[in-house]
Amino acid sequence: MPVPWFLLSLALGRSPIVLSLERLVGPQDATHCSPGLSCHLWDSDILCLPGDIVPAPGPVLAPTHLQTELVLRCRKETYCDLCVRVAVHLAVHGHWEEPEDEEKFGGAADSGVEEPRNASLQAQVVLSFQAYPTARCVLLEVQVPAALVQFGQSVGSVVYDCFEAALGSEVRIWSYTQPRYKKELNLTQQLPDCRGLEVRNSIPSCWALPWLNVSADGDNVHLVLNVSEEQHFGLSLYWNQVQGPPKPRWHKNLTGPQIITLNHTDLVPCLCIQVWPLEPDSVRTNICPFREDPRAHQNLWRAARLRLLTLQSWLLDAPCSLPAEAALCWQAPGGDPCQPLVPPLSWENVTVDVNSWEKLQLQECLWADSLGPLKDDVLLLETRGPQDNRSLCALEPSGCTSLPSKASTRAARLGEYLLQDLQSGQCLQLWDDDLGALWACPMDKYIHKRWALLWLACLLFAAALSLILLLKKDHAKAAARGRAALLLYSADDSGFERLVGALASALCQLPLRVAVDLWSRREMSAQGPVAWFHAQRRQTLQEGGVVVLLFSPGAVALCSEWLQEGVSAPGAHGPHDAFRASLSCVLPDFLQGRAPGRYVGACFDRLLHPDSVPALFRTVPVFSLPSQLPDFLGALQQPRAPRPGRLQERAEQVSRALQPALDSYFHPPGTPAPGRGLGPGAGDGT
């Protein structure tokens, strides 16, 4: 009867290759070696004592590579055992010493190396073999003629037949010389069982082995055991573990033939099957057919659970070992996505998100039992630097707001009170390590204060009518002030800065509230360019304003540098260059499609052509000034754009105010135009 193949349906795995083995007749061990070498096997096993590494007294032989082959050692035609043939490849190691040094090694002949340089080399090669419950060491004597002795070159190999081992066992093999001149070679090998060898009729333990086929039928998996009706066998399902013993799931003693059905929800990658005949010393066959099954991996993540052990230690409980990455994140009430901590804390001991293959697989709040449901608390992230330097920021959807801060966010407005609560011990510490700490500060008392103020306002409603009228009047004044506009530019040179200042002053004559770093140098120096820009951008957009990107050759070069490398060259711009500082926040708005309606671009006619602006920034209107002033002013004053006639008057007003600065920049007395040839798309200055 031919050996049946191990049948698997689609996505369950491949059938193993069936090997045909060479047969050795007789129980005696033997050795043979490459042509030109002579070798001899000691009659009995030796003790496995490698000893310490000693210096080579000259050229010596040393093992360089181990190679194994499975064979059958047969006492009769149908009575064989599995045997491991081992080949040891040898090479010349070391070199001849100078004559005066050779005198120091007068005992070189004792170590297997003769003094004459044209002498042959001898070595005693040890093979150590371990396969539970067997452990053996044999000694092979090898001699290499002088003609084959070349330093650093292979001289051939010596082959040992053979070490007997059990089917399906793990074997470990070591090889070294006596004395030992180099680190020993080692090899670990998992031997196949009866399924992968043509040995069913040769090895007695395989004669009555049940053969198992696995196939899929819709959502179910069938285990088909093709054995005779008289055959008794055991069958076990277990979870194979990378570390620790297997976890048994199901075990039965059955009589064949049998068809066992598994539901697809029971499949996980480490689910394995063990089957064996109910006979003394029978071979147990193990297969794990679901390692690559997509359904098994989906079931594994469904069964996975995160469990908090201590404040800073966690356990990912799953049937199988999982390759995954873990990270801390925080989530605001209302079902918003869990956002990563910026800057991140160490994730070695705790997790909330578990990602595998760049896909979010599992998200749990580990502290829900101890902290209760989500609260409207503020999370304070403390980062620690060298020399006991530390900084605090409050986690918000817009980012991590430094404390104290003059920003207009909730955490910034309550920053002083949050710091007081932290110092007085009213905040709960969630995390602490060498890099930083995480605190939860309650907001309940501030919410109660707001309700108290609202109740007082209701009691004084009648008296507040006059206040409402005053607020309406103030609102009308605010509307008269016009729309907010934040002007960003690259400080290419002092002349260009004067041109930007003239444009900002001209725009202020319209119902526009213009913010530009030229007028806020002291505030920007105190806060830093990045913090100043973030505060101005947030305030401008919250008030329905617009951010104006004024492109110049220097700005185009800086944008291109950011788009290509993600960073800006250090020292390329001045300490007050808000345009450079703003790119880290401006670029995400363009990349994520949030720029239209919130940003506009502009450039000067003779300095830069709009087509020279990087394509990413041309997703918003880019106007050339002063030729397109009417359209530019219309975009700035939306959504309350004035009538066309009024808009043309304002454009002429801005053009008149801007013209002296343009003439001075492009035609300074006695010098070439400063804007010529400054970058891509620059005009000719005429």
Side-chain angles (χ1 to χ4, degrees), residues 206-222:
C206 293
W207 291 348
L209 179 68
W211 293 94
L212 175 66
N213 299 328
V214 181
S215 62
D217 181 13
D219 289 339
N220 296 324
V221 174
H222 297 313

Side-chain angles (χ1 to χ4, degrees), residues 328-352:
L328 281 169
C329 66
W330 68 281
Q331 186 176 22
D336 294 335
C338 203
Q339 304 187 40
L341 298 181
V342 181
L345 293 179
S346 172
W347 52 270
E348 296 177 352
N349 299 321
V350 69
T351 180
V352 175

Side-chain angles (χ1 to χ4, degrees), residues 50-131:
D52 297 329
I53 296 178
V54 298
V60 296
L61 295 178
T64 60
H65 179 61
L66 288 175
Q67 190 173 358
T68 62
E69 180 185 0
L70 298 182
V71 295
L72 291 179
R73 169 171 284 171
C74 301
R75 295 162 179 82
K76 297 179 181 179
E77 181 66 24
T78 59
Y79 196 91
C80 302
D81 292 310
L82 188 65
C83 212
V84 180
R85 171 185 289 164
V86 183
V88 184
H89 296 263
L90 302 171
V92 178
H93 172 68
H95 53 84
W96 290 110
E97 300 292 343
E98 294 299 326
E100 59 271 22
D101 293 332
E102 290 180 356
E103 296 178 0
K104 300 179 182 179
F105 299 95
D110 297 335
S111 60
V113 181
E114 300 181 7
E115 288 187 6
R117 300 193 178 191
N118 59 354
S120 62
L121 292 183
Q122 295 181 354
Q124 292 184 337
V125 180
V126 178
L127 279 177
S128 174
F129 180 87
Q130 291 185 7

Side-chain angles (χ1 to χ4, degrees), residues 5 57 136 150 161 163 199 244 250 258 265 294 348 363 381 393 419 436 439 493 500 533 561 570 599 614 638 642 682:
W5 291 96
R136 293 183 59 196
Q150 297 183 14
D161 282 328
F163 295 109
V199 296
W250 182 83
Q258 289 283 342
T265 57
E348 296 177 352
Q363 177 177 303
L381 182 60
C393 64
L419 293 177
W439 306 82
D493 52 50
V500 172
F533 168 73
E561 183 180 356
Y599 292 79
Q638 290 178 351

Side-chain angles (χ1 to χ4, degrees), residues 196 211 228 306 380 454 518 616:
W211 293 94
S228 63
L306 284 171
L380 298 185
L454 180 61
L518 285 171
L616 176 64

Side-chain angles (χ1 to χ4, degrees), residues 36 41 52 142 148 164 185 217 285 333 426 514 528 555 639:
L41 172 66
D52 297 329
V142 185
L148 297 180
E164 294 184 7
L185 298 179
D217 181 13
T285 301
Q426 298 185 41
V514 180

